Short mmCIF file of all heavy atoms in Angstrom, two decimals:
data_model
loop_
_atom_site.label_atom_id
_atom_site.label_comp_id
_atom_site.label_asym_id
_atom_site.label_seq_id
_atom_site.Cartn_x
_atom_site.Cartn_y
_atom_site.Cartn_z
N MET A 290 118.10 198.67 82.11
CA MET A 290 119.42 198.55 81.52
C MET A 290 120.07 199.92 81.36
O MET A 290 121.24 200.07 81.64
CB MET A 290 119.31 197.82 80.18
CG MET A 290 120.62 197.50 79.56
SD MET A 290 121.46 196.15 80.38
CE MET A 290 121.92 195.17 79.02
N LEU A 291 119.34 200.91 80.92
CA LEU A 291 119.91 202.24 80.72
C LEU A 291 120.47 202.80 82.02
O LEU A 291 121.49 203.48 82.02
CB LEU A 291 118.85 203.19 80.15
CG LEU A 291 119.33 204.61 79.85
CD1 LEU A 291 120.47 204.58 78.85
CD2 LEU A 291 118.19 205.46 79.33
N GLU A 292 119.85 202.46 83.14
CA GLU A 292 120.33 202.92 84.44
C GLU A 292 121.74 202.42 84.71
O GLU A 292 122.58 203.14 85.24
CB GLU A 292 119.37 202.43 85.53
CG GLU A 292 119.68 202.99 86.90
CD GLU A 292 118.64 202.57 87.91
OE1 GLU A 292 117.44 202.66 87.61
OE2 GLU A 292 119.04 202.14 89.00
N GLN A 293 122.04 201.18 84.31
CA GLN A 293 123.37 200.60 84.49
C GLN A 293 124.40 201.33 83.63
O GLN A 293 125.52 201.60 84.07
CB GLN A 293 123.37 199.12 84.16
CG GLN A 293 122.59 198.30 85.16
CD GLN A 293 122.50 196.85 84.73
OE1 GLN A 293 122.56 196.54 83.54
NE2 GLN A 293 122.33 195.95 85.69
N GLN A 294 124.04 201.66 82.40
CA GLN A 294 124.97 202.38 81.52
C GLN A 294 125.25 203.78 82.06
O GLN A 294 126.39 204.24 82.03
CB GLN A 294 124.43 202.48 80.09
CG GLN A 294 124.52 201.19 79.31
CD GLN A 294 123.31 200.32 79.50
OE1 GLN A 294 122.43 200.59 80.31
NE2 GLN A 294 123.24 199.23 78.76
N LEU A 295 124.24 204.44 82.58
CA LEU A 295 124.44 205.78 83.15
C LEU A 295 125.32 205.70 84.39
O LEU A 295 126.17 206.57 84.61
CB LEU A 295 123.09 206.43 83.48
CG LEU A 295 122.24 206.80 82.28
CD1 LEU A 295 120.87 207.32 82.73
CD2 LEU A 295 122.94 207.84 81.42
N ALA A 296 125.15 204.67 85.19
CA ALA A 296 126.00 204.47 86.37
C ALA A 296 127.44 204.24 85.94
O ALA A 296 128.37 204.78 86.56
CB ALA A 296 125.49 203.30 87.20
N LEU A 297 127.65 203.46 84.88
CA LEU A 297 128.99 203.23 84.35
C LEU A 297 129.62 204.53 83.88
O LEU A 297 130.78 204.83 84.21
CB LEU A 297 128.96 202.22 83.21
CG LEU A 297 130.29 202.01 82.48
CD1 LEU A 297 131.35 201.45 83.41
CD2 LEU A 297 130.09 201.11 81.26
N VAL A 298 128.89 205.34 83.16
CA VAL A 298 129.41 206.61 82.67
C VAL A 298 129.79 207.51 83.84
O VAL A 298 130.85 208.14 83.83
CB VAL A 298 128.39 207.31 81.74
CG1 VAL A 298 128.79 208.74 81.44
CG2 VAL A 298 128.24 206.52 80.45
N ARG A 299 128.97 207.55 84.88
CA ARG A 299 129.30 208.37 86.06
C ARG A 299 130.59 207.89 86.71
O ARG A 299 131.46 208.69 87.07
CB ARG A 299 128.16 208.35 87.06
CG ARG A 299 126.98 209.21 86.65
CD ARG A 299 125.99 209.40 87.80
NE ARG A 299 125.42 208.15 88.28
CZ ARG A 299 124.33 207.57 87.79
NH1 ARG A 299 123.66 208.15 86.82
NH2 ARG A 299 123.88 206.44 88.29
N GLU A 300 130.74 206.56 86.85
CA GLU A 300 131.95 206.01 87.43
C GLU A 300 133.18 206.35 86.59
O GLU A 300 134.24 206.70 87.12
CB GLU A 300 131.84 204.49 87.59
CG GLU A 300 130.87 204.05 88.64
CD GLU A 300 131.31 204.43 90.05
OE1 GLU A 300 132.52 204.37 90.34
OE2 GLU A 300 130.44 204.79 90.85
N LEU A 301 133.05 206.23 85.28
CA LEU A 301 134.17 206.54 84.39
C LEU A 301 134.53 208.02 84.44
O LEU A 301 135.71 208.38 84.39
CB LEU A 301 133.85 206.10 82.96
CG LEU A 301 133.72 204.58 82.77
CD1 LEU A 301 133.24 204.28 81.36
CD2 LEU A 301 135.02 203.87 83.08
N GLU A 302 133.54 208.88 84.56
CA GLU A 302 133.81 210.31 84.68
C GLU A 302 134.57 210.62 85.97
O GLU A 302 135.49 211.44 85.98
CB GLU A 302 132.52 211.10 84.61
CG GLU A 302 131.92 211.13 83.21
CD GLU A 302 130.55 211.78 83.15
OE1 GLU A 302 129.87 211.87 84.19
OE2 GLU A 302 130.16 212.19 82.04
N VAL A 303 134.21 209.96 87.06
CA VAL A 303 134.94 210.13 88.32
C VAL A 303 136.36 209.62 88.17
O VAL A 303 137.33 210.28 88.56
CB VAL A 303 134.21 209.41 89.47
CG1 VAL A 303 135.08 209.36 90.72
CG2 VAL A 303 132.88 210.09 89.77
N TRP A 304 136.51 208.42 87.59
CA TRP A 304 137.83 207.82 87.41
C TRP A 304 138.72 208.74 86.57
O TRP A 304 139.89 208.92 86.88
CB TRP A 304 137.67 206.46 86.74
CG TRP A 304 138.93 205.66 86.55
CD1 TRP A 304 140.20 205.97 86.94
CD2 TRP A 304 139.04 204.41 85.89
NE1 TRP A 304 141.07 204.99 86.58
CE2 TRP A 304 140.39 204.01 85.93
CE3 TRP A 304 138.12 203.58 85.28
CZ2 TRP A 304 140.84 202.82 85.38
CZ3 TRP A 304 138.57 202.40 84.73
CH2 TRP A 304 139.92 202.02 84.79
N ALA A 305 138.18 209.34 85.54
CA ALA A 305 138.96 210.20 84.66
C ALA A 305 139.52 211.41 85.41
O ALA A 305 140.55 211.97 85.01
CB ALA A 305 138.11 210.66 83.48
N LYS A 306 138.90 211.80 86.49
CA LYS A 306 139.35 212.98 87.26
C LYS A 306 140.33 212.63 88.37
O LYS A 306 140.93 213.52 88.96
CB LYS A 306 138.13 213.69 87.86
CG LYS A 306 137.22 214.28 86.82
CD LYS A 306 135.97 214.86 87.45
CE LYS A 306 135.00 215.32 86.37
NZ LYS A 306 133.71 215.73 86.95
N LEU A 307 140.49 211.33 88.65
CA LEU A 307 141.37 210.92 89.74
C LEU A 307 142.84 211.16 89.39
O LEU A 307 143.24 211.03 88.24
CB LEU A 307 141.17 209.44 90.07
CG LEU A 307 139.82 209.05 90.64
CD1 LEU A 307 139.75 207.54 90.83
CD2 LEU A 307 139.54 209.77 91.94
N ASP A 308 143.61 211.52 90.39
CA ASP A 308 145.04 211.74 90.22
C ASP A 308 145.74 211.13 91.43
O ASP A 308 145.86 211.77 92.48
CB ASP A 308 145.34 213.23 90.10
CG ASP A 308 146.82 213.51 89.85
OD1 ASP A 308 147.54 212.58 89.45
OD2 ASP A 308 147.24 214.65 90.07
N HIS A 309 146.16 209.87 91.31
CA HIS A 309 146.79 209.15 92.41
C HIS A 309 147.83 208.20 91.83
O HIS A 309 147.58 207.57 90.80
CB HIS A 309 145.73 208.37 93.20
CG HIS A 309 146.24 207.80 94.46
ND1 HIS A 309 146.95 206.62 94.52
CD2 HIS A 309 146.17 208.26 95.74
CE1 HIS A 309 147.29 206.37 95.77
NE2 HIS A 309 146.82 207.35 96.53
N PRO A 310 148.99 208.09 92.47
CA PRO A 310 150.06 207.25 91.89
C PRO A 310 149.72 205.76 91.81
O PRO A 310 150.32 205.03 91.03
CB PRO A 310 151.25 207.48 92.83
CG PRO A 310 150.68 208.05 94.08
CD PRO A 310 149.42 208.76 93.70
N ASN A 311 148.75 205.29 92.59
CA ASN A 311 148.39 203.87 92.57
C ASN A 311 147.19 203.56 91.69
O ASN A 311 146.70 202.44 91.70
CB ASN A 311 148.12 203.38 93.99
CG ASN A 311 149.37 203.40 94.84
OD1 ASN A 311 150.48 203.39 94.35
ND2 ASN A 311 149.19 203.46 96.14
N ILE A 312 146.71 204.55 90.95
CA ILE A 312 145.55 204.35 90.08
C ILE A 312 145.93 204.74 88.66
O ILE A 312 146.39 205.86 88.43
CB ILE A 312 144.34 205.20 90.55
CG1 ILE A 312 143.94 204.80 91.97
CG2 ILE A 312 143.17 205.05 89.58
CD1 ILE A 312 142.87 205.67 92.57
N LEU A 313 145.78 203.79 87.74
CA LEU A 313 146.06 204.11 86.34
C LEU A 313 145.11 205.20 85.85
O LEU A 313 143.90 205.11 86.08
CB LEU A 313 145.86 202.89 85.45
CG LEU A 313 147.02 201.94 85.30
CD1 LEU A 313 146.61 200.75 84.45
CD2 LEU A 313 148.22 202.62 84.71
N PRO A 314 145.63 206.22 85.19
CA PRO A 314 144.74 207.26 84.66
C PRO A 314 143.86 206.72 83.54
O PRO A 314 144.29 205.95 82.70
CB PRO A 314 145.71 208.30 84.09
CG PRO A 314 147.03 208.00 84.72
CD PRO A 314 147.04 206.54 85.00
N LEU A 315 142.61 207.12 83.57
CA LEU A 315 141.67 206.81 82.50
C LEU A 315 141.77 207.94 81.49
O LEU A 315 141.40 209.08 81.78
CB LEU A 315 140.24 206.69 83.04
CG LEU A 315 139.15 206.44 82.00
CD1 LEU A 315 139.33 205.07 81.36
CD2 LEU A 315 137.78 206.56 82.63
N VAL A 316 142.28 207.64 80.32
CA VAL A 316 142.48 208.65 79.29
C VAL A 316 141.17 208.95 78.58
O VAL A 316 140.87 210.09 78.24
CB VAL A 316 143.55 208.19 78.28
CG1 VAL A 316 143.71 209.18 77.16
CG2 VAL A 316 144.88 207.97 79.00
N GLY A 317 140.37 207.91 78.37
CA GLY A 317 139.10 208.09 77.69
C GLY A 317 138.31 206.81 77.64
O GLY A 317 138.77 205.76 78.06
N PHE A 318 137.09 206.92 77.14
CA PHE A 318 136.25 205.73 76.99
C PHE A 318 135.27 205.97 75.85
O PHE A 318 135.03 207.10 75.44
CB PHE A 318 135.52 205.38 78.28
CG PHE A 318 134.54 206.42 78.76
CD1 PHE A 318 133.20 206.38 78.38
CD2 PHE A 318 134.95 207.42 79.61
CE1 PHE A 318 132.31 207.33 78.83
CE2 PHE A 318 134.06 208.38 80.08
CZ PHE A 318 132.73 208.33 79.68
N HIS A 319 134.73 204.87 75.35
CA HIS A 319 133.75 204.93 74.27
C HIS A 319 132.67 203.90 74.55
O HIS A 319 132.97 202.76 74.88
CB HIS A 319 134.40 204.63 72.92
CG HIS A 319 133.41 204.52 71.80
ND1 HIS A 319 132.85 205.62 71.21
CD2 HIS A 319 132.86 203.43 71.22
CE1 HIS A 319 131.99 205.21 70.28
NE2 HIS A 319 131.98 203.89 70.27
N LEU A 320 131.42 204.30 74.45
CA LEU A 320 130.31 203.37 74.55
C LEU A 320 129.75 203.12 73.16
O LEU A 320 129.59 204.05 72.38
CB LEU A 320 129.20 203.94 75.45
CG LEU A 320 129.55 204.16 76.91
CD1 LEU A 320 128.40 204.82 77.64
CD2 LEU A 320 129.92 202.85 77.58
N SER A 321 129.45 201.86 72.87
CA SER A 321 128.87 201.54 71.57
C SER A 321 127.49 202.20 71.44
O SER A 321 126.86 202.55 72.43
CB SER A 321 128.74 200.03 71.39
OG SER A 321 127.79 199.51 72.28
N SER A 322 127.03 202.35 70.22
CA SER A 322 125.74 203.01 69.98
C SER A 322 124.59 202.23 70.62
O SER A 322 123.57 202.81 70.99
CB SER A 322 125.50 203.21 68.49
OG SER A 322 125.55 201.97 67.82
N GLU A 323 124.76 200.92 70.79
CA GLU A 323 123.72 200.11 71.45
C GLU A 323 123.87 200.14 72.97
O GLU A 323 123.07 199.54 73.68
CB GLU A 323 123.79 198.66 70.96
CG GLU A 323 123.48 198.47 69.49
CD GLU A 323 124.70 198.75 68.61
OE1 GLU A 323 125.84 198.63 69.10
OE2 GLU A 323 124.50 199.10 67.44
N LEU A 324 124.94 200.78 73.46
CA LEU A 324 125.25 200.87 74.89
C LEU A 324 125.48 199.51 75.53
O LEU A 324 125.27 199.32 76.72
CB LEU A 324 124.14 201.62 75.64
CG LEU A 324 123.86 203.04 75.19
CD1 LEU A 324 122.68 203.62 75.97
CD2 LEU A 324 125.08 203.92 75.34
N ASP A 325 125.93 198.54 74.73
CA ASP A 325 126.17 197.22 75.27
C ASP A 325 127.65 196.87 75.37
O ASP A 325 128.01 195.81 75.86
CB ASP A 325 125.43 196.14 74.47
CG ASP A 325 125.89 196.09 73.01
OD1 ASP A 325 126.53 197.04 72.56
OD2 ASP A 325 125.58 195.09 72.34
N GLU A 326 128.52 197.76 74.90
CA GLU A 326 129.96 197.56 74.99
C GLU A 326 130.62 198.87 75.38
O GLU A 326 130.19 199.94 74.95
CB GLU A 326 130.54 197.09 73.66
CG GLU A 326 130.09 195.72 73.24
CD GLU A 326 130.73 195.30 71.93
OE1 GLU A 326 131.02 196.15 71.09
OE2 GLU A 326 130.95 194.09 71.76
N ALA A 327 131.68 198.74 76.19
CA ALA A 327 132.45 199.92 76.58
C ALA A 327 133.93 199.63 76.33
O ALA A 327 134.41 198.52 76.61
CB ALA A 327 132.23 200.25 78.04
N TRP A 328 134.63 200.59 75.76
CA TRP A 328 136.07 200.49 75.56
C TRP A 328 136.72 201.55 76.43
O TRP A 328 136.32 202.71 76.43
CB TRP A 328 136.44 200.74 74.10
CG TRP A 328 135.94 199.68 73.17
CD1 TRP A 328 136.51 198.47 72.90
CD2 TRP A 328 134.74 199.74 72.39
NE1 TRP A 328 135.74 197.78 72.01
CE2 TRP A 328 134.65 198.53 71.67
CE3 TRP A 328 133.73 200.69 72.23
CZ2 TRP A 328 133.60 198.25 70.81
CZ3 TRP A 328 132.69 200.40 71.38
CH2 TRP A 328 132.64 199.19 70.68
N LEU A 329 137.74 201.11 77.18
CA LEU A 329 138.46 202.02 78.07
C LEU A 329 139.85 202.25 77.52
O LEU A 329 140.49 201.33 77.01
CB LEU A 329 138.57 201.42 79.47
CG LEU A 329 137.26 200.95 80.12
CD1 LEU A 329 137.54 200.39 81.50
CD2 LEU A 329 136.25 202.07 80.17
N VAL A 330 140.33 203.48 77.63
CA VAL A 330 141.68 203.83 77.20
C VAL A 330 142.46 204.23 78.44
O VAL A 330 142.12 205.21 79.12
CB VAL A 330 141.68 204.99 76.19
CG1 VAL A 330 143.10 205.31 75.75
CG2 VAL A 330 140.78 204.66 75.00
N LEU A 331 143.51 203.44 78.75
CA LEU A 331 144.34 203.67 79.93
C LEU A 331 145.76 203.93 79.49
O LEU A 331 146.18 203.53 78.40
CB LEU A 331 144.32 202.45 80.85
CG LEU A 331 142.96 201.89 81.24
CD1 LEU A 331 143.14 200.60 82.03
CD2 LEU A 331 142.20 202.90 82.06
N LEU A 332 146.53 204.57 80.37
CA LEU A 332 147.96 204.71 80.10
C LEU A 332 148.61 203.33 80.22
O LEU A 332 148.13 202.46 80.95
CB LEU A 332 148.62 205.66 81.09
CG LEU A 332 148.29 207.13 80.93
CD1 LEU A 332 149.06 207.96 81.94
CD2 LEU A 332 148.62 207.61 79.52
N TYR A 333 149.70 203.14 79.51
CA TYR A 333 150.43 201.88 79.54
C TYR A 333 151.04 201.67 80.92
O TYR A 333 151.66 202.56 81.49
CB TYR A 333 151.52 201.90 78.48
CG TYR A 333 152.41 200.69 78.51
CD1 TYR A 333 151.94 199.46 78.08
CD2 TYR A 333 153.70 200.77 78.99
CE1 TYR A 333 152.74 198.34 78.10
CE2 TYR A 333 154.52 199.66 79.02
CZ TYR A 333 154.04 198.45 78.58
OH TYR A 333 154.83 197.35 78.62
N ALA A 334 150.87 200.49 81.48
CA ALA A 334 151.44 200.13 82.78
C ALA A 334 152.66 199.25 82.54
O ALA A 334 152.54 198.08 82.20
CB ALA A 334 150.41 199.40 83.63
N SER A 335 153.84 199.82 82.72
CA SER A 335 155.07 199.09 82.41
C SER A 335 155.30 197.89 83.32
O SER A 335 156.03 196.97 82.96
CB SER A 335 156.27 200.03 82.48
OG SER A 335 156.39 200.57 83.78
N ASN A 336 154.70 197.86 84.50
CA ASN A 336 154.86 196.72 85.41
C ASN A 336 153.84 195.63 85.16
O ASN A 336 153.69 194.73 85.96
CB ASN A 336 154.78 197.20 86.87
CG ASN A 336 156.03 197.92 87.28
OD1 ASN A 336 157.13 197.50 86.95
ND2 ASN A 336 155.87 199.02 87.97
N ARG A 337 153.11 195.70 84.06
CA ARG A 337 152.13 194.71 83.63
C ARG A 337 150.94 194.67 84.58
O ARG A 337 150.01 195.41 84.40
CB ARG A 337 152.77 193.35 83.46
CG ARG A 337 153.81 193.38 82.36
CD ARG A 337 154.65 192.18 82.18
NE ARG A 337 154.02 190.90 82.42
CZ ARG A 337 154.69 189.80 82.53
NH1 ARG A 337 155.98 189.81 82.43
NH2 ARG A 337 154.09 188.66 82.74
N ASN A 338 150.94 193.83 85.57
CA ASN A 338 149.84 193.82 86.53
C ASN A 338 150.41 193.64 87.92
O ASN A 338 151.56 193.28 88.11
CB ASN A 338 148.79 192.75 86.19
CG ASN A 338 149.32 191.35 86.33
OD1 ASN A 338 149.84 190.98 87.37
ND2 ASN A 338 149.16 190.55 85.28
N VAL A 339 149.60 193.89 88.91
CA VAL A 339 150.08 193.92 90.29
C VAL A 339 150.63 192.55 90.72
O VAL A 339 151.61 192.49 91.45
CB VAL A 339 148.99 194.45 91.24
CG1 VAL A 339 147.86 193.45 91.37
CG2 VAL A 339 149.56 194.82 92.58
N PHE A 340 150.03 191.48 90.27
CA PHE A 340 150.51 190.15 90.68
C PHE A 340 151.91 189.88 90.14
O PHE A 340 152.78 189.37 90.85
CB PHE A 340 149.52 189.08 90.24
CG PHE A 340 148.16 189.28 90.83
CD1 PHE A 340 147.10 189.65 90.03
CD2 PHE A 340 147.94 189.12 92.19
CE1 PHE A 340 145.83 189.86 90.57
CE2 PHE A 340 146.69 189.33 92.74
CZ PHE A 340 145.64 189.70 91.93
N LYS A 341 152.15 190.19 88.86
CA LYS A 341 153.48 190.00 88.28
C LYS A 341 154.50 190.92 88.95
O LYS A 341 155.64 190.54 89.18
CB LYS A 341 153.46 190.28 86.77
CG LYS A 341 152.64 189.27 86.00
CD LYS A 341 153.28 187.91 86.05
CE LYS A 341 152.48 186.93 85.20
NZ LYS A 341 152.94 185.57 85.36
N TYR A 342 154.08 192.14 89.28
CA TYR A 342 154.97 193.09 89.96
C TYR A 342 155.40 192.53 91.31
O TYR A 342 156.57 192.55 91.66
CB TYR A 342 154.27 194.44 90.13
CG TYR A 342 155.08 195.44 90.92
CD1 TYR A 342 156.18 196.08 90.33
CD2 TYR A 342 154.76 195.74 92.23
CE1 TYR A 342 156.93 197.00 91.05
CE2 TYR A 342 155.49 196.66 92.95
CZ TYR A 342 156.57 197.28 92.36
OH TYR A 342 157.32 198.19 93.08
N PHE A 343 154.45 192.00 92.08
CA PHE A 343 154.78 191.44 93.40
C PHE A 343 155.68 190.22 93.27
O PHE A 343 156.60 190.04 94.06
CB PHE A 343 153.51 191.08 94.17
CG PHE A 343 152.71 192.28 94.62
CD1 PHE A 343 151.36 192.17 94.83
CD2 PHE A 343 153.31 193.51 94.83
CE1 PHE A 343 150.61 193.27 95.24
CE2 PHE A 343 152.58 194.61 95.24
CZ PHE A 343 151.23 194.49 95.45
N GLU A 344 155.43 189.38 92.28
CA GLU A 344 156.29 188.21 92.05
C GLU A 344 157.71 188.65 91.72
O GLU A 344 158.68 188.10 92.24
CB GLU A 344 155.75 187.38 90.89
CG GLU A 344 154.54 186.56 91.20
CD GLU A 344 154.02 185.83 89.97
OE1 GLU A 344 154.69 185.83 88.91
OE2 GLU A 344 152.92 185.26 90.06
N ARG A 345 157.84 189.64 90.86
CA ARG A 345 159.16 190.08 90.39
C ARG A 345 159.95 190.79 91.48
O ARG A 345 161.15 190.70 91.54
CB ARG A 345 158.97 190.99 89.17
CG ARG A 345 160.21 191.17 88.36
CD ARG A 345 159.98 191.88 87.04
NE ARG A 345 159.50 193.24 87.21
CZ ARG A 345 158.25 193.66 86.97
NH1 ARG A 345 157.34 192.82 86.54
NH2 ARG A 345 157.90 194.90 87.15
N THR A 346 159.26 191.51 92.36
CA THR A 346 159.95 192.29 93.39
C THR A 346 160.11 191.56 94.70
O THR A 346 160.80 192.02 95.60
CB THR A 346 159.21 193.62 93.65
OG1 THR A 346 157.88 193.33 94.05
CG2 THR A 346 159.23 194.49 92.42
N ASN A 347 159.45 190.39 94.83
CA ASN A 347 159.52 189.58 96.07
C ASN A 347 159.14 190.38 97.31
O ASN A 347 159.78 190.28 98.34
CB ASN A 347 160.92 188.98 96.24
CG ASN A 347 161.26 187.98 95.17
OD1 ASN A 347 160.41 187.19 94.78
ND2 ASN A 347 162.47 188.04 94.66
N LEU A 348 158.12 191.20 97.18
CA LEU A 348 157.66 191.96 98.34
C LEU A 348 156.94 191.06 99.33
O LEU A 348 156.29 190.10 98.95
CB LEU A 348 156.69 193.06 97.88
CG LEU A 348 157.28 194.21 97.07
CD1 LEU A 348 156.18 195.13 96.57
CD2 LEU A 348 158.26 195.00 97.93
N SER A 349 157.08 191.39 100.61
CA SER A 349 156.35 190.65 101.63
C SER A 349 154.89 191.05 101.60
O SER A 349 154.53 192.10 101.06
CB SER A 349 156.94 190.93 103.02
OG SER A 349 156.64 192.26 103.40
N LEU A 350 154.04 190.25 102.22
CA LEU A 350 152.62 190.57 102.28
C LEU A 350 152.39 191.92 102.95
O LEU A 350 151.59 192.73 102.51
CB LEU A 350 151.84 189.46 103.00
CG LEU A 350 150.34 189.70 103.16
CD1 LEU A 350 149.68 189.87 101.80
CD2 LEU A 350 149.70 188.58 103.94
N ASP A 351 153.14 192.18 104.04
CA ASP A 351 152.99 193.47 104.73
C ASP A 351 153.33 194.64 103.81
O ASP A 351 152.65 195.65 103.78
CB ASP A 351 153.88 193.53 105.97
CG ASP A 351 153.39 192.60 107.08
OD1 ASP A 351 152.16 192.33 107.10
OD2 ASP A 351 154.20 192.18 107.90
N ASN A 352 154.40 194.50 103.03
CA ASN A 352 154.78 195.57 102.09
C ASN A 352 153.73 195.73 101.00
O ASN A 352 153.44 196.85 100.58
CB ASN A 352 156.14 195.29 101.47
CG ASN A 352 157.28 195.48 102.44
OD1 ASN A 352 157.11 196.06 103.51
ND2 ASN A 352 158.44 194.98 102.09
N CYS A 353 153.16 194.61 100.54
CA CYS A 353 152.12 194.68 99.52
C CYS A 353 150.91 195.44 100.03
O CYS A 353 150.32 196.25 99.31
CB CYS A 353 151.70 193.28 99.09
SG CYS A 353 152.99 192.37 98.22
N LEU A 354 150.54 195.18 101.27
CA LEU A 354 149.37 195.83 101.84
C LEU A 354 149.60 197.32 102.06
O LEU A 354 148.67 198.11 102.02
CB LEU A 354 148.96 195.15 103.14
CG LEU A 354 148.48 193.71 103.00
CD1 LEU A 354 148.22 193.10 104.36
CD2 LEU A 354 147.23 193.64 102.14
N GLU A 355 150.85 197.72 102.28
CA GLU A 355 151.18 199.13 102.45
C GLU A 355 151.03 199.91 101.16
O GLU A 355 150.80 201.11 101.15
CB GLU A 355 152.59 199.30 102.98
CG GLU A 355 152.74 198.88 104.42
CD GLU A 355 154.18 198.99 104.90
OE1 GLU A 355 155.00 199.62 104.20
OE2 GLU A 355 154.46 198.43 105.96
N LEU A 356 151.19 199.22 100.01
CA LEU A 356 151.08 199.90 98.73
C LEU A 356 149.67 200.37 98.54
O LEU A 356 149.32 201.31 98.00
CB LEU A 356 151.49 198.98 97.58
CG LEU A 356 152.95 198.59 97.54
CD1 LEU A 356 153.19 197.60 96.41
CD2 LEU A 356 153.84 199.79 97.34
#
């Protein structure tokens, strides 16, 4: 089990360093003392989620795939 938590921490550390317009920045994270829960802190996404964004903008499938 500890191996999975360490893998999660490594992934979160990589995510926190990413800088790309299509990836929400990871501001921070917290693991519970039992290492059985993780809380992620992300920047607010004003477009809600990608599915709602595509519905609202009426993008074609080809345009969606280009994003």
Side-chain angles (χ1 to χ4, degrees):
M290 187 74 132
L291 182 59
E292 187 175 314
Q293 291 175 333
Q294 285 88 353
L295 292 174
L297 174 62
V298 169
R299 285 193 299 272
E300 290 293 323
L301 293 173
E302 287 173 339
V303 169
W304 184 3
K306 295 174 186 173
L307 294 177
D308 183 17
H309 190 278
N311 294 338
I312 299 174
L313 274 177
L315 177 66
V316 176
F318 64 91
H319 173 79
L320 295 176
S321 67
S322 57
E323 295 82 25
L324 301 177
D325 61 344
E326 293 181 329
W328 294 278
L329 307 180
V330 181
L331 309 174
L332 288 182
Y333 175 73
S335 60
N336 286 318
R337 297 173 35 193
N338 66 54
V339 70
F340 300 111
K341 293 293 183 188
Y342 175 75
F343 290 154
E344 285 176 8
R345 198 171 63 253
T346 58
N347 295 319
L348 291 174
S349 70
L350 178 59
D351 290 334
N352 288 346
C353 293
L354 295 175
E355 288 177 14
L356 293 176

